[in-house]
Amino acid sequence: MAIDLTLKSVAVTNREASPSVHNNPGEGGSATKKWVKSHLASVTASLTTTSIIRMVEGPAHCHLTDLYLQSAAQTAGKFDIGAYRTNADGGAVVSAAFFASAVDCASAVVRTDVLNESTSYTIAKQAQPLWQALGMTEPAKGVMLDLALTVVTTDVTTGAGAISLEAGYVM
């Protein structure tokens, strides 16, 4: 006996509810994707474990869709990729390895999507605003977060190669 089963996503279930429920952008509703990208022309040699390289900022209320890392060979060095409060907002770590952990940049890294390399940013969390996925209490609208690289495991002993981070998000 065959089972005829139709499953519906949250967005479709909301659309077909009576009355219908509005889907927020990034949570089933349409949105315009925005990009932010920056680079560091040369990673400083002799960065020690826990050194932070703040790369780009993104709105705390966004939904990240992509996070690309690219690096020249740094000879030695591994990076966590996570989120920090901006320096204007105190600069505190929110989650240093939320997106990626111990990404090895000793050899060149081609443009790679590291959005969920650490498995912390699960499918369920990707359906939440970034602040909520990170476990923060809801900040005021307009609050920005720095997406940053933190040196872990291995110091960047010689460095001097370029590195970039590019984030795609919807609001």
Side-chain angles (χ1 to χ4, degrees):
M1 181 172 161
I3 297 175
D4 185 11
L5 181 63
T6 301
L7 300 175
K8 298 176 186 175
S9 71
V10 172
V12 171
T13 300
N14 286 346
R15 180 193 70 207
E16 294 181 354
S18 182
S20 65
V21 177
H22 174 74
N23 290 306
N24 291 324
E27 298 172 17
S30 63
T32 302
K33 190 171 192 175
K34 298 180 180 187
W35 291 92
V36 59
K37 179 180 181 178
S38 193
H39 75 286
L40 187 62
S42 178
V43 171
T44 304
S46 303
L47 287 178
T48 58
T49 302
T50 71
S51 294
I52 301 165
I53 304 171
R54 294 172 184 266
M55 295 296 294
V56 296
E57 69 175 6
H61 284 80
C62 77
H63 294 264
L64 282 183
T65 58
D66 308 271
L67 188 61
Y68 292 101
L69 173 74
Q70 186 174 0
S71 177
Q74 303 300 339
T75 309
K78 293 184 180 182
F79 297 96
D80 284 347
I81 303 171
Y84 288 76
R85 297 262 190 182
T86 63
N87 286 330
D89 192 23
V93 63
V94 177
S95 180
F98 190 70
F99 304 110
S101 59
V103 177
D104 192 346
C105 293
S107 299
V109 176
V110 297
R111 186 174 182 261
T112 303
D113 193 346
V114 294
L115 185 67
N116 193 24
E117 183 276 337
S118 73
T119 70
S120 296
Y121 198 39
T122 63
I123 292 171
K125 287 187 178 181
Q126 290 174 33
Q128 301 172 341
L130 185 56
W131 66 265
Q132 186 177 7
L134 288 163
M136 299 170 64
T137 57
E138 184 172 9
K141 295 284 184 186
V143 167
M144 303 297 278
L145 295 171
D146 283 338
L147 304 182
L149 313 174
T150 304
V151 179
V152 293
T153 311
T154 308
D155 295 345
V156 179
T157 52
T158 54
I163 196 164
S164 74
L165 195 65
E166 176 182 0
Y169 64 90
V170 295
M171 298 258 321

